[in-house]
Amino acid sequence: MTTEALRPARLRSLDVAKVGAVGLRTRPLRAFLSSLGIAIGIAAMVAVVGISSSSRAELDHTLASLGTNLLTVSPGNTLTGGEAQLPLPAESMVGRIGPVESVSAIGRLTDAKVYRTEKIPKVETGGIAAYAARTGLRSTTGAKLADGTWLNAATSRYPATVLGATAAERLGISHAGPGIGVLVGGRWFTVVGILQRVPLAPELDVAALIGWQAARTELGFDGHATTIYTRAADAHVTGVQSVLGATANPEAPNEVQVSRPSDALAAKQAAGKAFTGLLLGLGAVALLVGGVGVANTMVISVLERRAEIGLRRSLGATRGQIRTQFLAESLLLSGLGGAGGALLGTAVTAGYALYQGWPTVVPPWAVAGGVAATFAIGGLAGVYPAVRASRLSPTEALATP
């Protein structure tokens, strides 16, 4: 007479999931608190990546609308350390460069302070600077009007000014038109326009812009440009940038500074990556703490459910099935936290982007990577409790009061 060895029943994937969910269903509050640490870590990481990506998308959109072909020329320092000066014909000479599409300029009126009324103390300038401006400045820099009109061939000859967005705020002026005036260098100028903020030329935000001819006749402007703005054909920006210094001041090209404003915006975005890295590190720490919480919960669960483990072992469950049960429970616990954290991080990104007026961008790899990280953390956190549970003998487990 022969006997066949008993074979343990196999657990299907669905059975493993059901058995693993038993501990979560019986202790829902503990499961929620344990997965909360995982959720916070994943939410922080997804939100940081999402907000950074949304900010980058907004920057790309801004640069696409403003153009990356704007170059500026300004005086640097002399060999003796003094402040240099651009030659009077510098603007026209830059305009002769073949690929240059447009050129304009402003000239700083150093002694002309800007005030709302004559009763304002002289020391309270509000950081507002007065500039002589060419009529083509707005089109070259991409500046847009918030109210009123821009300087033209007529108004540029008379006491009229266009205020930058910040300058108008500091002066308490919300609209332009007849009867709205400011004191510039002790002379009254009518505010004919107010600009919106100019991302590629932030110096215009705190400026009172006056026509080139009016600055000469009314305020004694010497005609030297302090910043020359030029637009070059996209394919020749680098080439134009390399010759601007020598073209603007052939006698002393080393005394000329040439810059590309779009590079400054890109550098600002790059500087924000360090802060993003810091926040990602904090999110990783939160995720690690959450993993420790899951491990602690699973260890306590094994201690509390010794009788259940003993009963299952006595009914034929193998050590491998016990390990699988508790490992599955740990993975489910972490997976719930990861899914909740991914949803929360996406919602935070969408809310912040909506508040800032940015496009909402959440990279799929951030969500997928976050959820994958939670399963990795859950697997590591559940290995020890699962092995410990599987090593309990049926008699030892059932004898536990």
Side-chain angles (χ1 to χ4, degrees), residues 10-310:
R10 293 183 177 181
L11 289 177
R12 297 174 300 176
S13 299
L14 182 60
D15 296 328
V16 172
K18 289 181 178 179
V19 172
V22 170
L24 305 186
R25 291 199 305 268
T26 56
R27 298 171 180 82
L29 181 59
R30 179 185 294 177
F32 170 76
L33 294 177
S34 298
S35 61
L36 184 61
I38 295 284
I40 291 174
I42 294 300
M45 298 177 75
V46 171
V48 166
V49 174
I51 291 174
S52 177
S53 299
S54 299
S55 174
R56 193 171 297 112
E58 173 63 17
L59 175 64
D60 293 340
H61 175 74
T62 300
L63 291 179
S65 61
L66 296 175
T68 59
N69 60 341
L70 179 66
L71 300 170
T72 63
V73 179
S74 57
N77 295 322
T78 63
L79 293 176
T80 58
E83 185 176 350
Q85 193 176 51
L86 293 177
L88 287 174
E91 183 183 353
S92 60
M93 293 170 68
V94 168
R96 296 193 187 104
I97 301 175
V100 169
E101 298 174 343
S102 65
V103 62
S104 191
I106 58 174
R108 178 72 180 267
L109 304 172
T110 307
D111 298 328
K113 307 301 180 183
V114 183
Y115 301 96
R116 185 67 178 87
T117 70
E118 66 275 4
K119 297 181 180 179
I120 303 297
K122 299 297 182 182
V123 295
E124 296 181 9
T125 62
I128 302 171
Y131 291 93
R134 297 291 191 185
T135 55
L137 178 66
R138 190 167 75 92
S139 59
T140 301
T141 59
K144 297 181 180 179
L145 284 166
D147 189 57
T149 60
W150 177 246
L151 298 170
N152 53 42
T155 56
S156 62
R157 296 173 176 270
Y158 298 98
T161 182
V162 174
L163 300 177
T166 303
E169 291 176 4
R170 294 176 182 175
L171 292 170
I173 297 175
S174 58
H175 63 278
I180 308 297
V182 293
L183 277 172
V184 182
R187 303 290 301 272
W188 282 103
F189 282 72
T190 301
V191 178
V192 296
I194 298 175
L195 293 177
Q196 298 180 13
R197 298 191 184 279
V198 189
L200 293 183
E203 61 275 9
L204 301 183
D205 294 339
V206 290
L209 302 170
I210 299 162
W212 204 270
Q213 185 60 38
R216 282 180 175 274
T217 57
E218 302 288 338
L219 300 173
F221 175 50
D222 61 8
H224 287 274
T226 51
T227 303
I228 298 174
Y229 303 91
T230 178
R231 292 274 183 181
D234 291 335
H236 301 282
V237 171
T238 303
V240 171
Q241 188 175 16
S242 65
V243 300
L244 270 178
T247 304
N249 191 352
E251 295 182 359
N254 58 301
E255 297 179 1
V256 179
Q257 293 182 342
V258 179
S259 64
R260 190 174 181 179
S262 57
D263 289 342
L265 289 179
K268 182 180 178 181
Q269 179 68 34
K273 291 181 179 179
F275 186 63
T276 298
L278 174 62
L279 293 180
L280 284 175
L282 294 177
V285 171
L287 184 60
L288 179 61
V289 172
V292 173
V294 170
N296 182 59
T297 298
M298 295 307 302
V299 170
I300 294 175
S301 180
V302 170
L303 296 176
E304 291 181 343
R305 296 161 64 187
R306 291 166 69 94
E308 175 195 333
I309 296 169

Side-chain angles (χ1 to χ4, degrees), residues 307-318 322 392-395 397-398:
E308 175 195 333
I309 296 169
L311 180 60
R312 291 201 62 208
R313 292 281 283 119
S314 64
L315 292 176
T318 65
I322 296 297
L392 291 174
S393 66
T395 54
L398 289 172

